[in-house]
Amino acid sequence: MTFTRRDFLGRMAAGAFAIAAFAVPAGGLLVGGPALAADPVKVGILIPGSKSDKGWMESGYDGLVAAQEKYGDKIEVQMIENINYADMEQALTQLASGNALVIGVGGQTQAAIYKVARRFPDTKFSIVGGNESEARDNIAGYDVKQAEIAFVAGAAAAMLSKTGGVSYVGGLEIPSIVNAGKEFGNGAKYINPEIKYFENYTGDFDDVAKSKEATLAAIAQGADIHYHILNLGLRGMEQAAKEKGTHIIGSYTDRCGSDPLYVAYSVTGVGFQVHYAIDQYLADTWTAGYEPFGLKKGPMASDMIICGGTPEQKAKLKEIMDKILAGEIKVLEG
């Protein structure tokens, strides 16, 4: 079963509440929602990149929007976006000072959250994309299992490639991003052992020029299907693919039909986890500790969709996902 972005927002929202338009003043601080009811739960969220990046950050923002549609004036949201790494601790301190729950969207928030959480023991912190780490009573880490679904994306890429070549561009060369790249290549080789696989890292999730350069280099060597873990850097991959007539497998959210450049999407449930953190807090079931998501949490947490895929392609992807769940195909952490 697959879900589009519209499906996601519809499924996650339990009512017809429409959020007010957001205006972001100077400094990136956003306060959301219409007139609030008495004693709303205060939720702070840090989106380090752009909420309109077509990737991880936008998926996280979709989850926030869905939660606001569901809960209306039961929650009051403060959001900070587009923050440099050097300013992350300060931004999280600001959020922790005035909110009961603080959500960091991205593993890059984890180090700063661990520093700030020590000073705010009564505030709950949820890390979307968090890795297993030191246990803290007020920190929950949600692992999206990117390497797991990257294997399936690699299989889809090999099915779709006409040239017998696929490529991957990651941002920071850190274990979770590298492991996803390795598993994308492994998934492609699972379908076609002879496939050519090209892997590159730009050192920055938002560097458009470097991601374009890396994608063009892969195209020159024969790649015609591209996968990524990028934020705004995805714009560079799009530019290269458009110029050379190749295609992209999108990450994070199913947007099939929105852009012919994209032939498939992997779902990694970033927005699902943002919504999950808010659900858990409001239900008084929020718990600290590491929690793996991925395929075992269902298609809203992790899925692979070939846009207009054939029955044979869909069946093969399901078979691969079932084998991963059963442990017959083993993938790296991350």
Side-chain angles (χ1 to χ4, degrees), residues 22 74 127 203 237 316 334:
F22 288 115
K74 293 180 181 178
I127 306 166
M237 179 175 282
K316 189 64 177 178

Side-chain angles (χ1 to χ4, degrees), residues 47-224:
I47 296 181
S50 168
K51 67 179 186 292
S52 56
D53 67 354
K54 289 188 179 180
W56 179 287
M57 302 300 164
E58 186 167 340
S59 178
Y61 182 69
D62 285 347
L64 174 64
V65 170
Q68 289 192 299
E69 289 178 343
K70 177 178 180 179
Y71 291 112
D73 59 7
K74 293 180 181 178
I75 62 173
E76 177 182 348
V77 174
Q78 180 185 18
M79 185 179 83
I80 299 176
E81 67 165 331
N82 280 325
I83 290 293
N84 294 326
Y85 296 113
D87 300 323
M88 210 168 285
E89 188 174 338
Q90 181 180 351
L92 286 163
T93 299
Q94 180 180 343
L95 292 174
S97 298
N99 295 285
L101 172 67
V102 174
I103 303 169
V105 181
Q108 63 266 52
T109 68
Q110 181 160 317
I113 281 177
Y114 267 80
K115 289 181 181 178
V116 173
R118 189 178 287 112
R119 305 201 304 270
F120 296 90
D122 295 328
T123 301
K124 307 299 185 189
F125 295 82
S126 291
I127 306 166
V128 174
N131 297 319
E132 194 164 11
S133 189
E134 175 191 353
R136 296 276 188 85
D137 290 342
N138 63 335
I139 299 177
Y142 306 145
D143 187 349
V144 300
K145 293 289 187 182
Q146 288 185 106
E148 186 180 79
I149 201 63
F151 183 99
V152 191
M159 293 180 202
L160 293 166
S161 176
K162 293 180 172 60
T163 63
V166 299
S167 73
Y168 168 83
V169 179
L172 291 179
E173 198 167 354
I174 57 178
S176 61
I177 308 303
V178 171
N179 286 353
K182 288 179 179 177
E183 292 300 350
F184 178 76
N186 290 339
K189 291 172 185 175
Y190 183 85
I191 296 296
N192 177 7
E194 303 303 318
I195 202 158
K196 294 178 288 183
Y197 172 54
F198 309 99
E199 183 178 326
N200 208 316
Y201 299 90
T202 64
D204 188 328
F205 292 111
D206 297 313
D207 193 314
V208 174
K210 286 184 178 178
S211 62
K212 180 177 182 179
E213 180 183 351
T215 305
L216 286 173
I219 293 170
Q221 297 176 81
D224 66 339

Side-chain angles (χ1 to χ4, degrees), residues 8 14 90 201 262 276 309:
F8 171 81
Q90 181 180 351
Y201 299 90
Y262 289 82
Y276 177 87

Side-chain angles (χ1 to χ4, degrees), residues 247-271:
H247 293 89
I248 299 171
I249 293 179
S251 298
Y252 315 120
T253 302
D254 174 13
R255 294 184 171 89
C256 279
S258 63
D259 187 340
L261 194 64
Y262 289 82
V263 290
Y265 288 91
S266 67
V267 173
T268 48
V270 178

